[in-house]
Amino acid sequence: MIRFHLTKEIGILCLSLTLLSSSASAETKHRIISVNGTVTEIIYSLKLENQLIAVDSTSYFPKQASSLPNVGYQRTLATEGILTFKPTLILGLESAGPPATIQNLKDAGILLRLFPEEFKLETPANRVLEIGKLLGKEKQATVLAKSINEQIQNLKINKSNLKVLFIYSRNPSSVFISGTGTAAHAMIELSGAKNAVNEFSEYKPLTSEALIKANPDIILMPEKSALGFGGEKAIWEINGMEFTRAGKEKNLILVDDLLLLGFGPRLPLVLKTLNDQWKLIE
């Protein structure tokens, strides 16, 4: 099994992208609640964390974000819990919900900015620029976005024929695999490998028949998902796994959830790291 974490050093490196000019005369002050981990990461990267008053449960990077009050998971937000903090601005992705809560917050007169779910190379820089513009940090955002784009342009991704199966689960009774049109699919393809499943879009429950048919070379999972599923041993005990190359060779890669699926400022890092892992397994 291969497991890689975002080390402290790499984290510092990424955040060092934000050693930017401190001039921000047009900066607008808000009481911000971020309901997405990538958005929170960008807010810290732009040194706007002094405006953050609460975050959601996916906001654990950088580490300081974990010390802020938590309003729960981004898809299951509760109106009352959020209003308690008296926010003036809520930032997140369009997947935030449920819809009734989002409407309640709008009705309460709170400004919401929910960014599109996109899984492209340009997504991190675009999000940085949008958040920078919204919060009066255009110059800093431009510098950071330029740095991210330069890192992406300098990436040397070697194409591979390896088939990677992305599995997501919070418990053994609910196991899903990723088809096309997902962050996992985009991450596999952008890092040079092939998604083992292309017959459907979004996520579908895993079956032993589908697993054997896909015959993946590698299993890719978010770390927290793997823990919720029961760890590595439980993964290899999935029906049909023993008939796949991944199961026979125990090729499992675990990656921090936010790093793997967030499409944030650290996208170049995770693409390079995954591509390196593909080469080791080929």
Side-chain angles (χ1 to χ4, degrees):
M1 177 186 70
I2 301 169
R3 182 197 304 262
F4 65 89
H5 302 268
L6 182 71
T7 64
K8 179 180 179 182
E9 290 74 16
I10 295 174
I12 292 172
L13 174 63
C14 291
L15 288 177
S16 70
L17 297 174
T18 66
L19 293 179
L20 311 167
S21 168
S22 61
S23 61
S25 57
E27 180 179 333
T28 302
K29 298 293 184 182
H30 283 284
R31 290 177 55 82
I32 302 173
I33 294 180
S34 170
V35 294
N36 176 265
T38 297
V39 171
T40 300
E41 184 176 339
I42 292 173
I43 289 173
Y44 273 90
S45 296
L46 295 175
K47 298 193 179 303
L48 289 164
E49 64 268 24
N50 63 327
Q51 298 185 46
L52 268 178
I53 57 172
V55 295
D56 80 317
S57 60
T58 68
S59 300
Y60 54 84
F61 184 85
K63 188 176 180 180
Q64 305 92 293
S66 299
S67 64
L68 290 169
N70 196 300
V71 296
Y73 182 52
Q74 58 183 332
R75 297 178 188 269
T76 56
L77 301 170
T79 306
E80 294 76 12
I82 290 178
L83 292 179
T84 300
F85 294 100
K86 299 180 179 178
T88 60
L89 175 63
I90 295 174
L91 297 178
L93 301 185
E94 290 178 344
S95 56
T101 296
I102 299 303
Q103 188 59 53
N104 289 339
L105 295 171
K106 290 178 180 178
D107 292 342
I110 299 172
L111 177 63
L112 280 90
R113 182 70 171 88
L114 302 179
F115 301 99
E117 294 267 12
E118 294 180 343
F119 315 122
K120 303 175 183 176
L121 287 175
E122 58 267 31
T123 296
N126 288 343
R127 286 175 175 168
V128 166
L129 291 172
E130 287 186 85
I131 292 174
K133 182 178 181 180
L134 181 66
L135 300 178
K137 285 276 190 176
E138 290 95 335
K139 291 182 179 178
Q140 292 84 349
T142 298
V143 173
L144 178 56
K146 181 181 178 183
S147 175
I148 295 170
N149 284 332
E150 287 177 347
Q151 291 177 67
I152 290 174
Q153 290 168 4
N154 291 330
L155 279 176
K156 295 180 180 178
I157 300 295
N158 296 310
K159 292 294 183 181
S160 169
N161 287 321
L162 286 174
K163 295 184 295 181
V164 180
L165 182 67
F166 178 85
I167 297 180
Y168 183 86
S169 171
R170 288 298 186 194
N171 60 72
S173 63
S174 179
V175 186
F176 294 88
I177 55 177
S178 170
T180 61
T182 65
H185 173 84
M187 189 61 68
I188 292 169
E189 298 282 328
L190 291 174
S191 61
K194 298 181 183 299
N195 189 351
V197 180
N198 288 287
E199 292 82 8
F200 57 84
S201 61
E202 301 300 327
Y203 292 91
K204 283 191 174 182
L206 173 65
T207 65
S208 57
E209 292 79 10
L211 177 59
I212 295 171
K213 180 182 178 183
N215 188 22
D217 300 297
I218 301 170
I219 302 299
L220 176 66
M221 291 186 73
E223 282 182 342
K224 292 183 179 179
S225 177
L227 285 174
F229 186 70
E232 183 178 1
K233 185 174 183 296
I235 294 167
W236 300 134
E237 291 176 349
I238 295 174
N239 287 336
M241 188 66 82
E242 70 272 24
F243 298 110
T244 69
R245 181 193 171 191
K248 293 174 182 174
E249 300 181 5
K250 302 294 187 288
N251 291 332
L252 171 65
I253 295 180
L254 304 180
V255 185
D256 172 85
D257 301 44
L258 180 60
L259 180 61
L260 179 61
L261 303 174
F263 275 75
R266 295 173 291 164
L267 179 64
L269 166 67
V270 70
L271 290 178
K272 178 65 168 59
T273 307
L274 284 174
N275 190 245
D276 289 343
Q277 300 304 322
W278 307 152
K279 286 186 287 186
L280 289 174
I281 294 176
E282 270 186 326

